[in-house]
Amino acid sequence: MIRAMLLLAVVVVLMASTRSFLPDTDPAGTHAGVALGFGFLVLAAVQAGNLFAAVRLPRLTGYLLCGLVVGPDVGALLTTQMVSDLRIVSGVAVGLIALSAGSELNLRALRPRLRSVLLISAVALPIALATTTLLAWVLAPRLPFLATFTGAQLWTAALTLGVVFASLSPAVTIAILSETASAGPVSETTLGVVVIADLFVIVLFTVVNALGARVFGTPGAAGELSPFLALAVEVFGSMGVGVLVALALAAAHRYAREHLAILILAVCVTAAEVGSRLHLDSLIICLTAGVLLENALGVGGAAISRALAPAALPIFAVFFALAGARLHLHDLKELWPLALAFALTRGVSLMG
C-alpha cells in the first residue's frame, strides 16, 4: 500500500513537471501532449487501483477516482483537449472488452441457463426502463433540458433517458469478473444477460431516436436511410464484419499464434476508427467475433484471455480513468440529488 502511494505521488509530480515543457498556448494540442496524457494515465490509474485493492476495495473505483482527481475539473493534470483526444483509447477498449465478453460466452455451457438468462432480461430491462422513464417524467421540472418540453416531446425525451439508464455495461461486468477471477453459473448467467441487454438497448435506442426525430420534427438529410433500415445496416453489417474478423483471428491463431495479441489490438483499433466512419458498431463487431471464435472456430476464450492478459490491466485502467476524467463536477454539484435518485431507482429495479 505504501509502495503504491509513493509511486502514485512520484508519477503525479513527474506529470506536473513535464507539463511545463509543453507549449503554453495549447499544452495538449500536440502529439506529445496526447502521448504524455496516455502514459501518465496508465501509470497513475494502475497505482490508484493497487492502492484501493490494498484496502480491499475494487480497483475499478480507484481507476474512476484517479481520472476524476487528475482530470480537467480537479487537478487539471489532464486537459480537456487531452481527454478528448484520448477517446480512441475508449473505442479500442470497448472492442477488446466486447471480444473478451463474446469469447467467454460458451453457448453449450450456457444452454441449461438460457431460459433464466432470457427471463431475467425480459423482466429486468422493461422494469428498469419503465421506472426510470417515469422518474424522468416526474422530475422534468427540475431538469433544465426537459423543463420546456410538454406532451409527446416530454415523454419521448423521458423515454430516451430511460433507455440509456436501463442499459447495462459489458465493460464493468468484464472488469469485475476479471478482477475477482469469477467463473461458474453466476458469472455465465450475468454475462449472458449483459450481452443480450446491450443488443436490445442498441435496437431500442434506434427506435426511440426515430420516434424523437418525428416528434421533434428533425428533418432528415437528402438521401438518408430510414432509421429502421439504418439500424438493419448497422446491426447486420456489423455482424457480417464480425464474421470476417473471427475468420481472420482464427487463421492468426493457427498460423501466427505468437502475434495474436498484436493482431487483436489492430482489429480493435480498426473497428473503433473505420467502423464509426462506416456507421458500424465496434461492440457488435467484436462481440460477434468473440462468440464465433469460442463456439464455432475452436479458438476458446482461454486463448483470447492469454493473448490479452498483458494488456488487460492498462486497458481497464485507462478506460475507466477516462470515464472519471470526463465527469464535470459543476454539473454533479447541481444535479447530484437527481443523479442519486436515478441510480437508486435503476438499481432497485434491476435487483427486483
Side-chain angles (χ1 to χ4, degrees), residues 162-185:
V163 171
V164 175
F165 289 140
S167 62
L168 303 176
S169 172
V172 172
T173 304
I174 290 292
I176 291 174
L177 294 180
S178 175
E179 180 173 342
T180 57
S182 299

Side-chain angles (χ1 to χ4, degrees), residues 48-49 51-53 55-64 176 179:
L51 188 59
F52 272 66
V55 294
R56 297 186 179 277
L57 290 173
R59 293 177 185 271
L60 206 62
T61 309
Y63 303 153
L64 289 166
I176 291 174
E179 180 173 342

